[in-house]
Amino acid sequence: MKPKMTDKHKLMAYVLSTDEDLNKNKKITQKEIADVFGVGQSTISSGIKDAKNRIKIQSLENELSQLKKELLQLQEVEILQLPDDVNCEYKRML
């Protein structure tokens, strides 16, 4: 059984496959990355996809935090009777 990739390894695989500096001489393939980490190419493909999704989520959460900050500055928002101690960072309800 091949080892699983950690989150750190998934991000490393993403960097290896997308970084302009690392790929300026030739395009690094997923198979080559798989050989470095001792996993299959499909594991690398899944890991890169997972890393892309994490990056997108983080970017969206940053954007939502900025929007939350702007929202809290609107005077009209007072009618909602929001708590006084609201943090500007967006946090999803789980």
Side-chain angles (χ1 to χ4, degrees):
M1 175 150 87
K2 295 193 180 222
K4 293 184 178 182
M5 293 185 70
T6 65
D7 286 341
K8 183 177 181 178
H9 288 133
K10 291 175 185 178
L11 292 171
M12 287 176 161
Y14 176 82
V15 169
L16 283 169
S17 69
T18 61
D19 185 80
E20 186 176 326
D21 290 335
L22 297 176
N23 283 282
K24 67 181 168 188
N25 293 335
K26 72 174 197 101
K27 173 84 171 100
I28 299 171
T29 67
Q30 290 182 358
K31 173 68 175 118
E32 290 171 320
I33 297 169
D35 291 343
V36 168
F37 291 112
V39 297
Q41 181 274 328
S42 62
T43 302
I44 293 298
S45 178
S46 295
I48 290 171
K49 183 178 178 181
D50 185 43
K52 284 180 186 178
N53 288 334
R54 287 180 56 198
I55 291 166
K56 286 179 184 178
I57 289 168
Q58 183 62 50
S59 176
L60 286 171
E61 286 180 341
N62 290 342
E63 188 176 342
L64 291 171
S65 290
Q66 181 60 38
L67 291 170
K68 181 179 177 182
K69 188 180 209 179
E70 291 176 31
L71 175 68
L72 292 172
Q73 293 174 354
L74 295 175
Q75 288 202 349
E76 293 82 359
V77 81
E78 291 175 8
I79 64 172
L80 298 176
Q81 299 176 351
L82 299 174
D84 293 331
D85 60 344
V86 174
N87 183 315
C88 287
E89 184 177 324
Y90 176 75
K91 295 179 263 182
R92 288 178 284 162
M93 290 192 312
L94 300 177

